[in-house]
Amino acid sequence: MRKEIWFGLSILLAIVVALFALMPAPADMSNGHLGLLMLALVVVAIMLGFPTAFTLMGMGVMFAWFAFHSRDPNLAIQMTLDLMVQRAYSVMANDVLISIPLFIFMGYLVERANLIEKLFKSLHIAMARVPGSLAVATIVTCAIFATATGIVGAVVTLMGLLALPAMLKAGYSTQLSAGCITAGGCLGILIPPSVLLIVYGATAGVSVVKLYAGAFFPGVMLAALYIGYVLLVAKFKPSAAPPLSAEQRRVTLPPFAEALTGSRNTMAVASMVAALKGPRAAHVPAATLVWQLLVALLPALAFALVMGIGYGMVSAPPDAPTEMVELGAAQDLNDPAELSAAPDEGALAEPPTENAPEPALAAAPAQAAPAASALAAPVERIGAPARPVPTAYWISLAVGLAALGIFYAYFTFARLEIFKMLLGSLFPLAFMILAVLGSIVFGLATPTEAAAMGAFGGILLAMAYRRFNWGMLSESAHLTTKTSAMVCWLFVGSSIFSAAFALLGGQELINEWVLSMKLTPVQFMVLAQVIIFLLGWPLEWTEIIVIFMPIFIPLLAHFNIDPLFFGLLVAMNLQTAFLSPPVAMSAFYLKGVAPPHVTLNQIFLGMMPFMGIQILGIVILYLFPAIGLWLPGILYQ
């Protein structure tokens, strides 16, 4: 029998033994103990393979009937049915959940459009001179793909088909290759637009927008730690990540570039500008030169656009004051003497009769002058001079110009071709991701609206890459329906289960037990994270979030822990649980598409260093919470 089966059976046996050992005798058992019994039975039933959502619903309905029956036997059935309807309707009325199928649909569109294959190849060539370039390109591709999809299984499976054969062919260690793919694929749990963060936000009552803003930098930090580990392995153990050969790093130049350079490796911009003026223009069409020169100058044009917009923002005049001021001489409105001495000309008077002459303004020029000057004062204030540009802007401009100069000094025709490959694979996908996340983080759109925009952007990208067809659309819609139905039914089952657990008093029993331990906030945080990590072995993240988060969330207020920060730690923790043998789901995803000679033990060995890096990331995030809380604090203070 396989080791994984023995491990699962041992966990089941441990749960059953603990259940009978810790539970009191039936005569002493209270409703709270029935709630704990229900919780343990749900975990056992899920591990035995029963559908999670319907197991939660079934257990919840059965134990809710016990709770109502103990209060009023005559109304137990009616109250149980009412509870089911109310809980199901509350899930249906949750607007946040609408974004889940839209984000999933966007992910499946990007996956089915096969955009990641071009992205991986272009990143592979662009990072050819970086130590461990294939592994680094794999992690970067996984991070971008995870941002576009948020589906761990899809990322690991597709990168296992693309990157694993390429790394094994290049002589990379099997363990390092498997670890990069599995760890990089799990980044979708944390990096927005993560479905886990949406589910946690809906369960814990935390703003999904703040969760997305808070998870951005921890996700980038984790990807940077992975890349740093790969660079160290490639530096100190080159046999595990050998450098690419000159033939593998070679970039084929187009005919116009070969006509301009011959056998020399010259700078692209200078050569094209000289060709437009010199005799070589006869060998290459001018339209081709102008177009290629425009592509080469795109970084400079983008920099000029950004700095121009920035200059307009930092030098804009201050807003005109909005307070109400009295026209004419300034008066102290709190002084009764000045108020009584005010002239009566401005007092209310009867309207003039039909034939009465108009007040002669010209007869009192001295009185009109102060009013005219007072009216002119706001005009002068609105046309105030521009603010002085801060020094930081000029420093940024100088640094940017220096970076552009260095960039174009080494910008050969080979690098131009690499830039065009990235322009066709990385930048469109990155622009779509930034548009979706930026509109959410900066408050331009709700998560649901941004998800709809992302789904539409996925369709446009598939059309632009000529991958869009009816079969791809229908398959993506079918997979989206299956995944969304699973998540939504989980929410319905979790809502009924949580209500039954609260009715039985299980939550109160756990609260009393935890509070009786006299834990400090640090000890409670460590205990909660260890429990969540252990639950990540036998259970999926969806089950952990919808079943156990309602138990932890009420305790956070007592220990003065921010639910937003707790959610970031939980997301990173569950990402670690995906890599922890022997029930690491990402390992089985990769094993399903790996060559036959790649064993499951090799995949597990490759995952272990990355699991240690993730634990280090959790510690860093806990010690420096500003990594996750700085951006939400700046944007939504």
Side-chain angles (χ1 to χ4, degrees):
M1 188 178 292
R2 295 172 58 185
K3 296 179 180 179
E4 293 78 21
I5 299 178
W6 278 114
F7 181 80
L9 291 176
S10 63
I11 290 182
L12 281 175
L13 182 62
I15 293 174
V16 174
V17 170
L19 188 65
F20 283 99
L22 298 177
M23 282 292 168
D28 301 329
M29 188 174 292
S30 64
N31 281 352
H33 294 101
L34 286 178
L36 298 180
L37 175 65
M38 175 180 66
L39 184 64
L41 290 177
V42 163
V43 175
V44 171
I46 291 173
M47 292 183 63
L48 288 174
F50 288 92
T52 304
F54 299 104
T55 300
L56 289 172
M57 273 187 277
M59 291 284 186
V61 169
M62 183 172 65
F63 280 87
W65 181 83
F66 277 120
F68 287 127
H69 189 270
S70 63
R71 301 178 184 180
D72 189 349
N74 298 324
L75 297 176
I77 295 179
Q78 179 182 346
M79 295 174 71
T80 303
L81 295 177
D82 290 343
L83 176 69
M84 291 179 59
V85 173
Q86 292 171 2
R87 289 292 176 163
Y89 182 77
S90 66
V91 173
M92 294 167 58
N94 193 339
D95 296 337
V96 178
L97 299 182
I98 302 176
S99 61
I100 292 179
L102 293 172
F103 275 128
I104 294 174
F105 184 56
M106 179 185 76
Y108 279 124
L109 283 174
V110 173
E111 178 195 0
R112 292 297 183 272
N114 207 16
L115 306 180
I116 303 304
E117 183 177 358
K118 293 185 66 175
L119 175 62
F120 174 69
K121 290 181 179 178
S122 59
L123 287 175
H124 162 212
I125 297 175
M127 299 178 179
R129 298 185 181 275
V130 177
S133 57
L134 273 174
V136 174
T138 298
I139 294 173
V140 175
T141 306
C142 284
I144 297 172
F145 192 24
T147 309
T149 62
I151 305 170
V152 174
V155 178
V156 174
T157 301
L158 190 55
M159 291 306 297
L161 294 172
L162 290 176
L164 185 60
M167 285 193 283
L168 295 179
K169 184 179 180 181
Y172 277 60
S173 165
T174 303
Q175 288 84 353
L176 180 64
S177 305
C180 291
I181 294 173
T182 51
C186 290
L187 288 171
I189 295 178
L190 179 62
I191 296 181
S194 166
V195 177
L196 180 145
L197 295 178
I198 300 176
V199 177
Y200 175 83
T203 303
V206 181
S207 169
V208 177
V209 177
K210 292 184 178 180
L211 284 170
Y212 276 4
F216 180 75
F217 284 117
V220 173
M221 176 192 70
L222 207 53
L225 289 175
Y226 291 163
I227 294 174
Y229 169 74
V230 170
L231 294 177
L232 290 176
V233 170
K235 179 69 176 178
F236 295 104
K237 193 179 179 183
S239 60
L244 298 179
S245 62
E247 180 64 26
Q248 291 173 319
R249 297 198 305 263
R250 182 176 172 273
V251 178
T252 304
L253 298 181
F256 88 92
E258 294 182 351
L260 292 178
T261 61
S263 59
R264 296 176 297 170
N265 191 16
T266 58
M267 300 301 105
V269 175
S271 298
M272 287 188 286
V273 171
L276 284 173
K277 301 178 180 179
R280 288 186 178 177
H283 304 287
V284 180
T288 302
L289 284 175
V290 171
W291 174 252
Q292 297 295 329
L293 184 61
L294 179 63
V295 172
L297 292 176
L298 280 179
L301 295 176
F303 176 76
L305 178 63
V306 171
M307 296 308 296
I309 296 175
Y311 181 83
M313 294 174 63
V314 300
S315 64
D319 295 336
T322 58
E323 65 270 15
M324 298 294 293
V325 295
E326 184 180 356
L327 299 179
Q331 294 180 347
D332 187 1
L333 299 182
N334 295 321
D335 190 352
E338 289 199 19
L339 289 177
S340 62
D344 295 335
E345 283 81 354
L348 294 177
E350 294 183 4
T353 58
E354 184 176 352
N355 297 324
E358 293 290 335
L361 292 177
Q367 297 177 3
S373 63
L375 288 174
V379 179
E380 293 176 0
R381 198 174 287 118
I382 291 174
R387 289 181 296 182
V389 179
T391 307
Y393 174 83
W394 298 115
I395 294 176
S396 302
L397 179 63
V399 172
L401 290 175
L404 276 177
I406 296 173
F407 174 77
Y408 282 111
Y410 293 93
F411 195 61
T412 62
F413 278 102
R415 290 188 171 90
L416 175 60
E417 291 305 307
I418 295 174
F419 176 72
K420 288 193 293 186
M421 293 174 62
L422 291 174
L423 197 64
S425 60
L426 172 62
F427 294 153
L429 190 59
F431 177 78
M432 184 190 76
I433 294 169
L434 290 176
V436 172
L437 296 183
S439 61
I440 296 174
V441 171
F442 291 103
L444 301 178
T446 64
T448 301
E449 294 166 348
M453 182 177 65
F456 182 68
I459 294 176
L460 293 181
L461 280 180
M463 289 180 176
Y465 285 99
R466 298 181 180 179
R467 301 279 188 176
F468 185 80
N469 54 61
W470 176 253
M472 185 267 284
L473 181 63
S474 61
E475 186 177 7
S476 300
H478 176 67
L479 292 173
T480 301
T481 304
K482 287 179 59 178
T483 308
S484 303
M486 177 199 71
V487 174
C488 292
W489 277 116
L490 268 175
F491 262 100
V492 174
S494 167
S495 184
I496 297 174
F497 175 85
S498 301
F501 191 71
L503 284 171
L504 291 170
Q507 182 66 52
E508 297 177 5
L509 199 63
I510 290 179
N511 291 352
E512 292 175 1
W513 174 67
V514 173
L515 297 179
S516 66
M517 297 172 68
K518 306 296 183 182
L519 299 175
T520 65
V522 176
Q523 292 171 338
F524 170 76
M525 185 73 79
V526 172
L527 175 64
Q529 298 303 323
V530 169
I531 292 174
I532 292 170
F533 176 78
L534 295 177
L535 289 172
W537 289 3
L539 301 178
E540 291 278 356
W541 66 261
T542 49
E543 299 155 355
I544 296 173
I545 294 293
V546 299
I547 298 175
F548 292 94
M549 283 306 104
I551 298 176
F552 286 109
I553 296 301
L555 293 167
L556 298 182
H558 174 78
F559 293 100
N560 198 23
I561 296 175
D562 187 0
L564 170 62
F565 182 62
F566 187 77
L568 299 179
L569 288 175
V570 167
M572 192 175 288
N573 194 345
L574 289 177
Q575 188 169 329
T576 306
F578 258 80
L579 295 177
S580 55
V583 197
M585 294 304 301
S586 55
F588 295 102
Y589 292 142
L590 182 60
K591 176 58 180 174
V593 296
H597 66 274
V598 177
T599 64
L600 201 58
N601 288 334
Q602 289 177 317
I603 298 176
F604 284 154
L605 288 176
M607 292 162 55
M608 295 301 291
F610 290 93
M611 187 179 69
I613 293 173
Q614 286 189 340
I615 296 175
L616 175 63
I618 294 176
V619 174
I620 293 174
L621 180 60
Y622 184 77
L623 294 178
F624 304 98
I627 297 174
L629 300 180
W630 176 79
L631 187 58
I634 289 293
L635 295 176
Y636 312 114
Q637 61 183 355

